[in-house]
Amino acid sequence: MSPPPPPLGRARRKGGRSDHAFDPALGDAELISVRGQFTQGRWTRARSLLVATGADWDRRGHRLLTLAAVPSAAGWARDWLLAEPDSSDAATLLACADVTRALRPKAGAGERVRAREACLAAAALDAADPTPWLALMLLDRAHGTQEETAGHFEEIRARHPEHHQAHHLMTARLAEAGSGGDPLHEVYDFASWAAEQAPADSPLAVLPVIAHAERYRVLVEAGHASDDPAASGHWTGRRARQVMKAAFDWWLEWEREDHPRHRADLNFLAHAKICEGRPAEAAALFHRIGSHATAAPWSYSGRDPYPAFLAARTFALGTP
């Protein structure tokens, strides 16, 4: 008997989106504390946090992009640069803030040019840091070509071969190439290759699940798959079963709660298990996620992400 349709909620209606704000900090207590002061213009603690973060590149990128999401981040970063003109931390924060502004729906071409220039200026100040290239990758993920996105990805891999967010971005971009439900799509090869290349304890082991979810997003948007996960068949085929089992087994053994973006992976895994019709396995993941929901992949197939997350969590845990 096939599993019941996952209760992810109704497709999003125009103008009907909930007003829930997803927190990009993902539970990083130090970051949340510093962000509160940074919002008020006190950037000295942000400086200390980034110095302490050092060359932990995944954590550095996560923290810089989260600080960059503060509405006044660009202004405070410019103040910091005035005080410390040679600070690569200040320059990279400004680059990330400019990219964040350039990605707003109403941003113009001039803002994108300014963001690109800020990224290149930050990259010149610290050749080892992949974060300015991550910011460029985010910009071209939205406004550039696949070749440009891939070029930035290679710059990042040259500096940090296991960069978590860069692999997620590249997977999403590759998933959008081509059309139709090709079971041999290039995104699957990429995800498998990256997972195999990474060390055994790397969260990139989950990347094939990310690829499967991103491909589902694209197929639904193109009308090649049902927006009902159970009816689509996308989550119950042989590839899906292999991918889900390998990723869940990895999570049971490693759990990787030390990684700054591990809750992003947990959201993808929980979503996959719900779509696969395995709420008991999803329940263990929801316990680890706690309140730290992410918009992706709960927004996929046109869902309003937070109600979809809540409905899936209630289905798995039996309580709101």
Side-chain angles (χ1 to χ4, degrees):
M1 181 181 293
S2 61
L8 294 180
R10 296 179 180 177
R12 184 185 306 151
R13 295 190 304 272
K14 191 172 183 179
R17 187 186 177 98
S18 71
D19 59 359
H20 178 80
F22 293 92
D23 186 357
L26 296 177
D28 185 331
E30 289 182 277
L31 173 60
I32 292 169
S33 175
V34 167
R35 180 179 59 184
Q37 297 202 17
F38 184 65
T39 301
Q40 300 169 27
R42 300 200 293 271
W43 48 262
T44 53
R45 280 202 64 198
R47 177 179 59 185
S48 299
L49 178 71
L50 294 174
V51 168
T53 305
D56 183 345
W57 300 126
D58 280 335
R59 197 173 304 278
R60 177 175 171 81
H62 170 68
R63 286 176 165 176
L64 277 163
L65 287 171
T66 300
L67 290 172
V70 171
S72 54
W76 299 134
R78 289 191 183 94
D79 287 349
W80 182 358
L81 269 176
L82 284 174
E84 299 179 12
D86 297 326
S87 170
S88 61
D89 289 341
T92 305
L93 177 56
L94 177 59
C96 291
D98 280 350
V99 166
T100 299
R101 292 166 64 90
L103 291 176
R104 295 177 304 177
K106 295 183 179 180
E111 289 176 282
R112 294 193 289 274
V113 170
R114 183 164 57 250
R116 190 177 304 278
E117 291 173 348
C119 289
L120 294 175
L125 283 174
D126 186 353
D129 186 3
T131 312
W133 299 101
L134 176 65
L136 268 176
M137 192 177 182
L138 280 164
L139 184 64
D140 282 334
R141 164 79 179 85
H143 297 290
T145 65
Q146 180 171 315
E147 290 71 23
E148 289 169 321
T149 305
H152 303 324
F153 176 69
E154 290 304 323
E155 293 284 357
I156 295 167
R157 284 197 73 249
R159 293 160 173 81
H160 179 39
E162 301 167 53
H163 200 290
H164 187 273
Q165 190 165 2
H167 279 82
H168 274 235
L169 290 171
M170 196 67 224
T171 299
R173 187 67 180 85
L174 287 173
E176 294 163 1
S179 61
D182 182 1
L184 302 178
H185 193 277
E186 64 178 313
V187 73
Y188 296 122
D189 289 337
F190 169 78
S192 297
W193 168 81
E196 290 166 3
Q197 293 289 313
D201 65 345
S202 170
L204 294 185
V206 180
L207 204 62
V209 174
I210 312 302
H212 204 65
E214 295 292 357
R215 193 61 188 150
Y216 180 60
R217 168 181 61 83
V218 173
L219 291 173
V220 170
E221 288 173 355
H224 295 304
S226 170
D227 62 2
D228 177 348
S232 72
H234 186 78
W235 299 95
T236 54
R238 181 180 176 185
R239 178 188 294 278
R241 289 194 301 272
Q242 291 174 338
V243 164
M244 303 316 162
K245 184 179 186 309
F248 191 71
D249 288 350
W250 175 88
W251 175 79
L252 288 175
E253 183 174 356
W254 295 106
E255 299 189 6
R256 286 311 304 262
E257 293 190 3
D258 60 310
H259 193 278
R261 299 186 74 244
H262 79 277
R263 287 192 174 96
D265 288 325
L266 291 178
N267 274 268
F268 271 93
L269 280 173
H271 173 265
K273 285 299 177 182
I274 287 291
C275 289
E276 194 185 9
R278 294 182 175 271
E281 293 176 1
L285 297 158
F286 280 114
H287 281 301
R288 295 291 185 183
I289 292 169
S291 61
H292 303 290
T294 55
W298 302 105
S299 61
Y300 294 177
S301 70
R303 310 297 175 185
D304 192 340
Y306 193 60
F309 169 80
L310 292 177
R313 187 177 66 181
T314 299
F315 179 63
L317 299 179
T319 56

